[in-house]
Amino acid sequence: MNVTRVSRVLSKRTLLMSSAFPRFFSVTNGNGRLESSKVLTGGSMNPFVKQIEYAVRGAIVIRASEIEKELKEGQSKPFDHVVKANIGDAHALGMKPLTFPRQVISMCVNPELLDDPRFPADAKDRARRILNGTGGFSMGAYSDSAGLEVIRKDVAKFIENRDGYPANYKDIYLTSGASEGIRSILKLLQTSVNQGKERAGVMIPIPQYPLYSASLSELNSYQINYFLDEDNSWALDTDELKRAIDAARSQCVPRALCVINPGNPTGQVLSYENIQSIIRFCKQEKLVMLADEVYQANIYAEDSKFHSFKKVLRDMGPEFEHMELISFHSTSKGFLGECGFRGGYMEVVGLDPEVRFHLNKMLTAKLCPSVVGQAMMGCLVNPPQPGEESYESFTQQKTAVLQSFKERAKLVQDTFNSVEGFHCNEVMGAMYSFPKIDMPHKAIIEAKARGLHPDSFYAMQLLEETGLCVVPGNGFGQREGTFHIRLTILPPIDALKPLFERFKAFHKKFLDKYK
Amino acid sequence: MNVTRVSRVLSKRTLLMSSAFPRFFSVTNGNGRLESSKVLTGGSMNPFVKQIEYAVRGAIVIRASEIEKELKEGQSKPFDHVVKANIGDAHALGMKPLTFPRQVISMCVNPELLDDPRFPADAKDRARRILNGTGGFSMGAYSDSAGLEVIRKDVAKFIENRDGYPANYKDIYLTSGASEGIRSILKLLQTSVNQGKERAGVMIPIPQYPLYSASLSELNSYQINYFLDEDNSWALDTDELKRAIDAARSQCVPRALCVINPGNPTGQVLSYENIQSIIRFCKQEKLVMLADEVYQANIYAEDSKFHSFKKVLRDMGPEFEHMELISFHSTSKGFLGECGFRGGYMEVVGLDPEVRFHLNKMLTAKLCPSVVGQAMMGCLVNPPQPGEESYESFTQQKTAVLQSFKERAKLVQDTFNSVEGFHCNEVMGAMYSFPKIDMPHKAIIEAKARGLHPDSFYAMQLLEETGLCVVPGNGFGQREGTFHIRLTILPPIDALKPLFERFKAFHKKFLDKYK
């Protein structure tokens, strides 16, 4: 099967559905004026921005917000609230923030609280440490563009403890979430042209987290899809990597490989040997490695373990040590779930010093990431230690969150697998299930008649009838002819159980109608 | 005089000095390995990133940080600390944060404090209002990509009160500082090609804030320089706009005009009539207007007043109402100076609905700006009102900050004008003085012999001998043959006075040597 062609066709079809501007808007503006009075129009604006897609906050999510307003206005629905299981946003779904980081940050923001006896000594210590690293003892001063040195050093120590190899704080860049770091590196990879076969090619997994496809669209770099093997627990097969890169060479200059581990939306966790073979592949094909490791703390399967790309690379010895690897982490996932703070870091190793010079310069023009977000990262990498006042309560809260995620992961996958026509691989890690739906032929026909992708058609009906908001699989990419939804495992167990009852009833009705 | 040619020559020369990679780094990496083992090199990386310049954090600022370390290590210098007057970073230079916003935000971050009797009722009210607008009553939840609706609504009200015209909260986008909004709009303006005369042209003032030139470099859009009239208090002359756009038409498709008002680095404040004529020019030439109004609260000259582009545009009536205007504001300047929080907004009016649709979609892929930064913007636009508990203390602090900036602006300009060979226009607003230096011919020769721009040469010596860190004028652009430095007015009066004594002594010595 010619998978590249399939994926191009697929991509074109998805485009029609989620990046196109709804027709009914486009003739005149609010004043009935012809659009030609505008400088920027659909015809004159940046065409690469037009081709961006981002389904995680796409049409179904917009409809979910409308339904929330309709409920507020008193409209009657078969449910009393919407569950937004479309995005990995733990706090929005009821998770309580951990106490320690919030104490630290409230003192950083309002240093008068440093004298408050209610706060524990270790939290005060962390807050002072961070404030001493700022300009004028204030979170309101700009930091260096790469972040506060004190926190970069704590990140380096965190990585050293995790991997057992040295990490240099100068290789650490604090970023606004992981996304901003990823975008910066994709930007570096772009070539002098943004069209034709000389443009940069970047390998990404399918299914993928759509930040990658959206950023590559914006840069008009070439997206090289490699498919994860759903029949084999979403494994990453290097033969497939080879197929994908060879097929892409006539379209672009392949320059980098992105890996998401643990996987989003797939939940797979790469084995040590698998990472070794990916690194060998990148060496052979001369690719920069981008390791998206934001879910590194979210491992649920008993026989899975998180191995960082940096550690495996260093284990492989001097022959591999020159390789270019950028790893990303975030405060938004793991056990903190502090998405709104926009904390993140990237560790950049092996980069040519001249490229590094220009990366640094590009970042200076962006001033700095949120200093409060940096402080949140500081709390993630420098938590209370044994013997410190908050150690027990912090550890207890952290363990409870991770244990609860683990239970939810199991509940979600088991429930899907108990439903006719659903197949869900084990959620080994991360925060999502990505079950496959055996879509009835009649439903596919009906969806196409309405101009919808079949899994969008399914997800929209699921939303309207149960209040459950999920992202259709086409937003992440999937093999032609397969259909999926992504559901976060984040709704609390108490909410998940009745939700799944509604879901099962919906699905039965759907099957009765279209089977 | 052919100014376009001059500016091209100038731009090329500046490039050689601040965006080039120092030669001594470039042969081998730390392991003595040849650079050809790298995928990304100076030759293969994104050339548009290479051409970025950003002098506000350039070579002189890097040297300033080195000197700080040398002082810490006990090296003897003619001064005991470095004064970083290179950047508008008020808190780093000793300004104390206002109390009210910090109270609000510490409660938002740590809602347990909502019960604390030490906090005033209005601060609690604001914190609850913001938290009620978040997911799960937590700053850790993602907001909508355009920001929390409650704060967007407060911004709209703030604009209505300021301008006397309606503002729609749907036109408000909260951003990570003003910079991120500016970059988003410049991104929209890009055309399908990033080279040749079909690419987008954007008019920017010279001197300019280098975020503009850096972002245009990164996009490889064409920078159309229009020169402000230094001999006429840095006035913006529409004849010069006409000259600049006509000269650029063979190089690009002009699509937008940026105005910085009050000006950075020039400190000028545009008159009402001046803004009217700029709007007429943009209508005639079919340009999108970008109004960078981050210094709108920083007005010092007795006969100056801030007029927003939005208000003037609406005053001009229906003939102009369809025009595309994007205005930017920030929490980093004004009387808050809260740079590290990265709060900002843009108001987008007149945009074609299809373009707006794609802007919204592009922003969703960036998730959201820091929710804490959004809360800081909430405090800026919804401050304590008469009758509320914090009103008096807040107003007193605000007035004191602005009054003190006003005194410093006068002190700085008067001091420069009292020094032989310095000419400083009135600092009517913003946070900077940008005096012209009559550079002695011998100093120019000497600078060129060392491969330095003459005002970089001057600024570097000033730093080494006095500890005063300023940005050389070539980082902002200036007319060929003129030389400047930019000094923020932010060092406290007590620090400015002795600093200026050292500066005067340095300058006399410099003149003695090179005159």
Side-chain angles (χ1 to χ4, degrees):
Chain A
M1 171 170 127
N2 182 337
V3 190
T4 313
R5 191 165 172 279
V6 168
S7 78
R8 265 211 305 282
V9 171
L10 175 66
S11 150
K12 206 165 169 187
R13 179 176 311 155
T14 320
L15 197 83
L16 280 169
M17 285 179 297
S18 66
S19 75
F21 178 65
R23 191 71 62 95
F24 53 89
F25 272 143
S26 62
V27 184
T28 58
N29 68 12
N31 305 320
R33 214 180 287 276
L34 280 174
E35 288 318 310
S36 58
S37 69
K38 301 296 179 188
V39 181
L40 275 188
T41 62
S44 69
M45 70 170 285
N46 186 340
F48 309 133
V49 170
K50 281 178 77 173
Q51 73 190 2
I52 294 173
E53 296 169 45
Y54 193 70
V56 176
R57 294 186 162 205
I60 288 173
V61 186
I62 292 168
R63 179 66 194 133
S65 297
E66 285 171 7
I67 292 179
E68 282 182 326
K69 287 197 175 166
E70 292 169 6
L71 283 168
K72 245 185 191 165
E73 290 160 4
Q75 283 194 33
S76 161
K77 305 263 177 198
F79 48 88
D80 58 10
H81 69 289
V82 171
V83 178
K84 285 193 174 168
N86 58 296
I87 189 167
D89 189 356
H91 294 201
L93 288 168
M95 176 189 153
K96 291 283 153 269
L98 268 66
T99 306
F100 178 81
R102 295 301 192 95
Q103 288 177 329
V104 172
I105 289 175
S106 59
M107 286 186 278
C108 287
V109 166
N110 192 348
E112 279 179 27
L113 297 169
L114 285 166
D115 302 325
D116 192 317
R118 101 179 69 182
F119 291 116
D122 47 359
K124 288 182 178 173
D125 167 71
R126 297 302 190 286
R128 275 202 198 88
R129 193 175 144 74
I130 292 168
L131 282 166
N132 281 325
T134 63
F137 206 75
S138 172
M139 304 299 277
Y142 290 118
S143 72
D144 287 346
S145 299
L148 295 171
E149 194 172 301
V150 59
I151 296 174
R152 294 165 73 198
K153 286 180 171 164
D154 288 346
V155 170
K157 210 174 294 170
F158 163 84
I159 294 173
E160 285 181 0
N161 290 339
R162 184 192 66 189
D163 294 343
Y165 286 103
N168 185 338
Y169 84 91
K170 292 184 177 168
D171 294 340
I172 309 299
Y173 296 79
L174 302 181
T175 53
S176 182
S179 313
E180 196 207 3
I182 293 168
R183 270 195 302 273
S184 297
I185 300 301
L186 294 177
K187 168 73 80 168
L188 275 188
L189 289 161
Q190 200 189 354
T191 58
S192 65
V193 292
N194 56 7
Q195 282 170 326
K197 65 182 187 174
E198 299 300 317
R199 63 187 164 145
V202 177
M203 303 187 73
I204 64 169
I206 297 295
Q208 53 112 20
Y209 173 53
L211 163 69
Y212 292 97
S213 52
S215 303
L216 293 172
S217 289
E218 194 176 314
L219 296 164
N220 211 34
S221 289
Y222 188 79
Q223 173 181 326
I224 307 173
N225 295 333
Y226 66 86
F227 286 79
L228 302 176
D229 184 359
E230 183 164 17
D231 295 336
N232 191 11
S233 306
W234 295 114
L236 199 171
D237 173 24
T238 45
D239 288 345
E240 166 61 12
L241 292 179
K242 185 70 182 145
R243 179 208 61 74
I245 198 170
D246 287 345
R249 284 195 200 283
S250 61
Q251 308 292 322
C252 67
V253 183
R255 311 192 99 186
L257 172 82
C258 300
V259 174
I260 312 174
N261 178 46
N264 174 4
T266 54
Q268 103 284 11
V269 177
L270 295 179
S271 72
Y272 188 91
E273 295 68 29
N274 208 173
I275 296 175
Q276 283 182 314
S277 62
I278 296 165
I279 292 173
R280 272 188 224 106
F281 173 81
C282 288
K283 179 162 188 288
Q284 187 183 332
E285 303 290 345
K286 290 207 80 183
L287 298 172
V288 174
M289 293 179 288
L290 276 63
D292 178 339
E293 300 176 332
V294 301
Y295 297 100
Q296 58 189 265
N298 300 99
I299 307 284
Y300 314 121
E302 289 306 332
D303 49 355
S304 287
K305 191 176 173 321
F306 170 72
H307 307 280
S308 78
F309 264 72
K310 171 90 178 301
K311 178 185 163 46
V312 178
L313 181 69
R314 290 290 173 259
D315 281 352
M316 290 169 77
E319 196 191 333
F320 293 84
E321 109 194 324
H322 68 284
M323 288 184 71
E324 295 144 275
L325 167 66
I326 301 100
S327 314
F328 305 93
H329 199 10
S330 165
T331 63
S332 305
K333 312 300 171 186
F335 49 89
L336 289 183
E338 295 281 15
C339 314
F341 283 77
R342 314 306 301 122
Y345 78 71
M346 59 180 176
E347 185 188 20
V348 176
V349 299
L351 215 62
D352 175 294
E354 180 173 357
V355 177
R356 183 70 168 262
F357 170 88
H358 292 296
L359 171 64
N360 292 345
K361 188 189 60 184
M362 175 173 76
L363 295 176
T364 61
K366 300 197 172 170
L367 298 169
C368 70
S370 160
V371 177
V372 180
Q374 297 180 39
M376 185 56 84
M377 181 51 82
C379 294
L380 176 65
V381 295
N382 187 15
Q385 296 302 310
E388 285 190 317
E389 197 174 338
S390 308
Y391 179 72
E392 254 177 67
S393 63
F394 178 84
T395 308
Q396 194 184 9
Q397 290 178 352
K398 169 181 163 176
T399 310
V401 168
L402 291 175
Q403 179 59 30
S404 171
F405 286 170
K406 187 173 172 172
E407 286 162 23
R408 298 179 214 184
K410 179 125 179 49
L411 173 67
V412 168
Q413 89 203 20
D414 288 351
T415 305
F416 278 129
N417 284 328
S418 75
V419 172
E420 184 191 347
F422 264 81
H423 309 272
C424 187
N425 276 325
E426 184 179 10
V427 180
M428 298 154 78
M431 291 182 167
Y432 314 94
S433 59
F434 195 65
K436 182 160 75 173
I437 313 172
D438 298 333
M439 193 69 69
H441 188 66
K442 265 172 72 183
I444 297 175
I445 303 288
E446 173 80 18
K448 287 188 178 164
R450 300 191 192 188
L452 285 171
H453 193 287
D455 46 31
S456 299
F457 172 71
Y458 184 89
M460 195 60 100
Q461 289 190 48
L462 179 65
L463 170 65
E464 296 285 353
E465 300 197 16
T466 68
L468 179 60
C469 177
V470 301
V471 187
N474 64 78
F476 306 93
Q478 52 199 352
R479 282 200 188 264
E480 174 80 348
T482 68
F483 307 99
H484 298 79
I485 55 173
R486 186 186 82 166
L487 174 84
T488 72
I489 60 163
L490 296 173
I493 294 264
D494 294 351
L496 271 176
K497 286 179 180 168
L499 202 62
F500 271 133
E501 291 312 310
R502 290 210 299 277
F503 158 72
K504 283 181 190 171
F506 161 78
H507 186 68
K508 190 173 175 309
K509 224 172 94 188
F510 186 88
L511 286 191
D512 288 348
K513 186 164 178 190
Y514 293 108
K515 211 175 155 181
Chain B
M1 170 172 128
N2 180 337
V3 191
T4 311
R5 190 165 172 279
V6 167
S7 77
R8 266 210 304 280
V9 171
L10 175 67
S11 150
K12 205 166 169 187
R13 178 176 309 153
T14 321
L15 196 81
L16 281 169
M17 285 179 298
S18 66
S19 75
F21 178 66
R23 192 71 62 94
F24 54 89
F25 272 142
S26 62
V27 183
T28 59
N29 69 11
N31 306 320
R33 214 180 288 273
L34 281 174
E35 287 317 311
S36 58
S37 70
K38 300 296 180 189
V39 181
L40 275 188
T41 64
S44 68
M45 69 171 285
N46 186 340
F48 309 132
V49 170
K50 281 178 78 172
Q51 74 189 1
I52 294 173
E53 296 170 45
Y54 193 71
V56 175
R57 295 185 162 204
I60 288 173
V61 186
I62 292 168
R63 178 68 191 130
S65 296
E66 286 171 7
I67 292 178
E68 282 183 328
K69 286 198 174 167
E70 292 169 8
L71 283 168
K72 245 187 192 165
E73 291 160 2
Q75 282 193 35
S76 162
K77 306 264 175 198
F79 48 88
D80 58 11
H81 69 287
V82 172
V83 178
K84 286 193 174 168
N86 57 296
I87 188 165
D89 189 357
H91 293 200
L93 289 167
M95 176 190 153
K96 291 282 155 271
L98 269 65
T99 306
F100 178 80
R102 294 302 191 97
Q103 289 176 328
V104 172
I105 289 175
S106 58
M107 285 185 278
C108 287
V109 165
N110 192 346
E112 279 179 28
L113 297 167
L114 285 167
D115 302 324
D116 192 317
R118 101 180 67 185
F119 291 115
D122 47 359
K124 287 181 180 175
D125 166 70
R126 296 303 190 285
R128 275 203 198 88
R129 194 176 143 74
I130 292 168
L131 282 167
N132 281 326
T134 62
F137 205 74
S138 172
M139 304 299 276
Y142 290 117
S143 72
D144 286 346
S145 299
L148 295 171
E149 194 172 300
V150 58
I151 296 175
R152 294 165 73 198
K153 285 180 172 165
D154 287 347
V155 169
K157 211 175 292 170
F158 164 85
I159 294 172
E160 285 182 0
N161 290 339
R162 184 193 67 190
D163 294 342
Y165 287 103
N168 184 340
Y169 84 91
K170 292 184 177 168
D171 294 340
I172 309 298
Y173 296 79
L174 302 180
T175 54
S176 182
S179 313
E180 196 210 0
I182 293 167
R183 270 195 303 273
S184 297
I185 300 300
L186 293 177
K187 167 74 79 168
L188 275 188
L189 288 161
Q190 200 189 354
T191 58
S192 65
V193 292
N194 56 7
Q195 283 170 325
K197 66 181 184 174
E198 299 300 318
R199 64 189 164 143
V202 177
M203 304 188 72
I204 64 169
I206 297 295
Q208 52 112 17
Y209 173 54
L211 162 69
Y212 292 96
S213 52
S215 303
L216 293 172
S217 290
E218 196 176 312
L219 295 166
N220 210 36
S221 289
Y222 188 81
Q223 173 180 328
I224 306 173
N225 294 333
Y226 65 87
F227 287 79
L228 301 177
D229 185 359
E230 183 163 18
D231 296 336
N232 191 11
S233 305
W234 296 114
L236 199 171
D237 174 23
T238 44
D239 288 346
E240 167 59 13
L241 293 180
K242 184 73 183 143
R243 178 208 62 73
I245 198 170
D246 287 345
R249 285 196 198 283
S250 62
Q251 308 293 322
C252 66
V253 183
R255 311 192 99 185
L257 173 82
C258 300
V259 174
I260 311 174
N261 178 44
N264 174 5
T266 55
Q268 104 284 9
V269 177
L270 296 180
S271 72
Y272 189 91
E273 294 68 29
N274 209 171
I275 296 175
Q276 284 182 313
S277 62
I278 295 164
I279 292 172
R280 271 188 225 104
F281 173 82
C282 289
K283 179 162 188 288
Q284 189 180 331
E285 304 289 346
K286 289 208 80 181
L287 297 171
V288 174
M289 295 181 288
L290 275 64
D292 178 340
E293 301 176 332
V294 300
Y295 298 100
Q296 58 189 267
N298 301 100
I299 306 285
Y300 314 121
E302 290 304 332
D303 49 356
S304 287
K305 190 174 173 322
F306 169 73
H307 307 281
S308 78
F309 264 71
K310 170 90 180 299
K311 178 186 163 45
V312 179
L313 182 68
R314 290 291 174 258
D315 282 352
M316 290 168 79
E319 197 190 332
F320 294 84
E321 111 194 322
H322 69 284
M323 288 184 71
E324 295 145 274
L325 167 66
I326 302 99
S327 314
F328 305 93
H329 199 11
S330 165
T331 63
S332 305
K333 313 301 171 187
F335 49 89
L336 290 183
E338 296 280 15
C339 314
F341 283 78
R342 315 305 300 120
Y345 78 72
M346 59 180 176
E347 185 188 20
V348 176
V349 300
L351 215 60
D352 174 292
E354 180 172 357
V355 176
R356 184 71 168 262
F357 170 87
H358 292 296
L359 171 63
N360 291 347
K361 186 188 60 183
M362 175 173 76
L363 295 176
T364 59
K366 300 195 172 172
L367 298 169
C368 71
S370 159
V371 177
V372 180
Q374 297 181 38
M376 185 57 86
M377 181 50 82
C379 293
L380 176 65
V381 296
N382 186 15
Q385 297 302 310
E388 287 190 313
E389 196 173 340
S390 308
Y391 179 72
E392 255 179 65
S393 64
F394 177 85
T395 308
Q396 194 184 10
Q397 290 179 349
K398 168 182 165 175
T399 311
V401 168
L402 291 175
Q403 179 58 30
S404 172
F405 286 169
K406 186 173 174 173
E407 285 163 22
R408 299 179 213 184
K410 179 126 179 51
L411 173 67
V412 168
Q413 88 202 23
D414 288 352
T415 306
F416 279 128
N417 285 327
S418 74
V419 172
E420 184 190 347
F422 265 81
H423 310 273
C424 188
N425 276 327
E426 183 179 10
V427 180
M428 300 152 80
M431 292 184 166
Y432 314 95
S433 59
F434 195 64
K436 181 160 76 174
I437 313 170
D438 298 335
M439 194 68 70
H441 188 65
K442 266 171 69 182
I444 296 174
I445 303 288
E446 174 79 17
K448 287 187 177 162
R450 300 192 193 186
L452 285 172
H453 193 286
D455 45 31
S456 298
F457 173 72
Y458 184 90
M460 194 60 100
Q461 289 190 48
L462 179 65
L463 170 66
E464 296 284 354
E465 298 197 17
T466 68
L468 180 59
C469 177
V470 300
V471 187
N474 64 78
F476 306 93
Q478 52 198 352
R479 281 200 188 265
E480 175 80 348
T482 68
F483 306 99
H484 298 78
I485 54 173
R486 186 187 82 164
L487 175 84
T488 73
I489 59 163
L490 296 173
I493 294 263
D494 294 351
L496 271 176
K497 286 179 178 167
L499 201 63
F500 271 134
E501 291 314 310
R502 292 211 299 277
F503 158 71
K504 284 180 189 170
F506 160 79
H507 186 67
K508 190 175 174 310
K509 226 173 93 188
F510 186 89
L511 286 190
D512 288 349
K513 187 162 174 193
Y514 293 109
K515 211 174 155 180

